[in-house]
Amino acid sequence: MDRIYLDNNATTVVDPKVKQAMEPFWLQRYGNPNSLHRFGTETHPEMGVALDRLYAGIGAADADDVIVNGCATEGNNTILKAAWVDGILEGKKSRIVSTAVEHPSVAHTLDWLEQRGVEVIRLQPNHEGLITPEALAEGFDADKTALVSIMWANNETGIINPVKELAEFCREKGVPFHTDAVQAVGKVPVNLQEVGADYLTFSAHKFHGPKGAGGLFVRSGCSFTPLLHGGEQMGGLRAGTVNVPFFVGMGLAMELAVDSLHYAQTTMATLRNRLEDAILALPDTMVLGKREHRTPNTILASFKGIEGEAFLWDLNQAGVAASTGSACSSESLEADATLRTMVSDADLAHTAVRFSLSRFTTEEEIERVISVVEGTVKRLRAISSTY
Ligand code: PMP
């Protein structure tokens, strides 16, 4: 029985074309790009192409910086800690404004900064799961705020925040705006000509690139303090020998992701909707967030009377991989932070299962998942003590 992978918000399969593009840089062209000999310099053309693809993929201008790094966790840490060092430790500002539903790479970094005296404001999403400019504006104090950090799309629900308006608000107030766009790239257009974010993070393994490669956009003219000091790699903005195969792979993965945006928003969305409709046709189920507010690949569904972990286990037995909560927090059986914030009914918050598709998900797979889900819901409700 073939396994079916519907956990693409946790990570994605590497596109075979990406794997192929990375291949020469392990055994043949393995030089350090900073070396002056041929082994080093022969990596430069592909790295240049990769960087161009990253700039083009997110609409960065030549004067902006796109720093290739180890992961989005690194990018998020870098920006939040830079705000602390630049704006707060120097005594100019005291506050970072973010949300209660950020990924742990932002949320836990903010906890850490808070323990060191930073004032952290965590905005709550509205009943539709959105962080609105009105919510940001309420009580906003530009004189105190070193940074606003609000995710583009949520990893659990797929809910897309109005980042263009949020960025505009920050620009008017003269406060830098960072967005974690990890779950947006390849699913919705990410164009920094249109969205005036000052900093943006992304991660290759969420769009069919390798794990352990990420990018950090820094708009031209915005202040920046590196997290890693050392060599002059990345123009001195991120020290450490460049991981050439991953760099090259991420560049191509970005280009392929952008090329398949139309597919993602049409065919993939149709497959997602087919699964979602089938889930909603079952009694006592709900899906978080309006469809038009979500990335085209994500469903976070609640099934009354069924514990999420039990559901996942059953799905896994049937060869279907989905998830509860984020992979980073799934060791805990605690309802996920996003859910706790959005769903007042504790029972529902405990029963949420996330299905996330990719451009490689097929119609046959979705049809099989539907019949597995229908069978699992029936079976688990028959033995549920709460249903
Ligand atoms: N932000 C979001 C929204 C994510 O979904 C993830 C990955 N789960 C990350 C950040 C962290 O990305 P990485 O694995 O590259 O550190």
Side-chain angles (χ1 to χ4, degrees):
M1 179 184 66
D2 283 343
R3 299 183 300 169
I4 300 176
Y5 186 75
L6 289 190
D7 198 12
N8 288 283
N9 284 11
T11 198
T12 59
V13 65
V14 172
D15 188 308
K17 293 191 194 109
V18 169
K19 178 171 178 281
Q20 198 184 4
M22 290 164 63
E23 217 60 69
F25 299 94
W26 299 110
L27 299 181
Q28 290 104 39
R29 297 161 64 190
Y30 52 82
N32 183 330
N34 286 54
S35 300
L36 297 179
H37 47 64
R38 276 254 314 265
F39 285 86
T41 55
E42 69 188 5
T43 64
H44 293 183
E46 271 85 355
M47 281 180 43
V49 169
L51 201 55
D52 287 348
R53 286 171 166 160
L54 295 176
Y55 272 76
I58 58 172
D62 284 349
D64 302 327
D65 285 303
V66 176
I67 303 163
V68 172
N69 59 18
C71 56
T73 297
E74 180 187 328
N76 289 337
N77 268 262
T78 304
I79 288 306
L80 296 172
K81 289 173 182 169
W84 179 45
V85 171
D86 284 351
I88 297 172
L89 279 187
E90 292 183 5
K92 291 181 278 196
K93 313 260 173 155
S94 56
R95 180 181 286 182
I96 296 177
V97 177
S98 185
T99 82
V101 293
E102 296 295 312
H103 182 268
S105 58
V106 169
H108 294 170
T109 307
L110 290 173
D111 294 344
W112 186 88
L113 291 170
E114 201 170 35
Q115 286 155 17
R116 281 152 186 83
V118 177
E119 186 193 353
V120 178
I121 308 277
R122 296 174 182 82
L123 302 173
Q124 295 291 331
N126 69 7
H127 66 285
E128 292 186 314
L130 299 166
I131 307 290
T132 61
E134 293 74 35
L136 176 60
E138 208 185 311
F140 193 83
D141 187 338
D143 291 336
K144 284 193 181 157
T145 308
L147 181 75
V148 172
S149 177
I150 298 177
M151 70 199 324
W152 193 307
N154 185 271
N155 41 304
E156 306 300 341
T157 58
I159 289 172
I160 302 164
N161 284 315
V163 278
K164 185 171 190 291
E165 291 75 21
L166 293 166
E168 263 163 25
F169 173 84
C170 290
R171 175 128 336 153
E172 276 164 26
K173 297 283 175 191
V175 173
F177 178 71
H178 164 246
T179 184
D180 172 348
V182 167
Q183 296 291 346
V185 172
K187 296 166 196 161
V188 295
V190 172
N191 185 347
L192 288 156
Q193 303 298 317
E194 279 168 22
V195 173
D198 300 305
Y199 308 102
L200 175 141
T201 33
F202 61 86
S203 179
H205 74 106
K206 308 289 181 170
F207 52 87
H208 305 290
K211 292 166 192 57
L216 172 58
F217 161 86
V218 179
R219 196 175 289 278
S220 158
C222 291
S223 76
F224 182 75
T225 299
L227 189 68
L228 304 184
H229 297 93
E232 282 305 305
Q233 294 90 355
M234 294 288 136
L237 301 180
R238 196 266 187 186
T241 303
V242 172
N243 187 337
V244 181
F246 284 28
F247 193 129
V248 169
M250 178 160 67
L252 180 58
M254 174 68 87
E255 185 168 275
L256 296 172
V258 172
D259 287 352
S260 57
L261 257 181
H262 178 71
Y263 178 90
Q265 300 202 305
T266 52
T267 312
M268 186 173 74
T270 305
L271 291 178
R272 190 275 309 266
N273 295 348
R274 164 89 185 100
L275 174 57
E276 186 168 325
D277 289 342
I279 289 170
L280 290 173
L282 299 170
D284 298 319
T285 57
M286 67 174 272
V287 169
L288 265 85
K290 283 190 181 157
R291 227 174 240 182
E292 63 267 29
H293 290 160
R294 276 185 282 134
T295 48
N297 79 320
T298 306
I299 301 169
L300 186 64
S302 263
F303 302 84
K304 208 169 175 63
I306 300 175
E307 193 68 43
E309 298 287 323
F311 201 145
L312 279 196
W313 199 84
D314 256 45
L315 291 180
N316 192 35
Q317 292 299 100
V320 176
S323 115
T324 61
S326 76
C328 311
S329 61
S330 64
E331 300 96 65
S332 94
L333 290 179
E334 288 275 296
D336 174 79
T338 312
L339 280 167
R340 277 201 308 269
T341 312
M342 279 187 66
V343 185
S344 48
D345 181 336
D347 183 36
L348 280 182
H350 266 289
T351 65
V353 175
R354 182 184 70 189
F355 301 92
S356 47
L357 287 69
S358 83
R359 64 173 185 260
F360 294 104
T361 305
T362 65
E363 196 177 341
E364 295 69 45
E365 288 179 323
I366 290 299
E367 294 307 324
R368 212 180 97 208
V369 172
I370 289 171
S371 75
V372 169
V373 167
E374 288 169 349
T376 302
V377 168
K378 230 187 225 158
R379 195 167 47 255
L380 290 178
R381 280 187 175 159
I383 56 166
S384 165
S385 58
T386 55
Y387 191 75

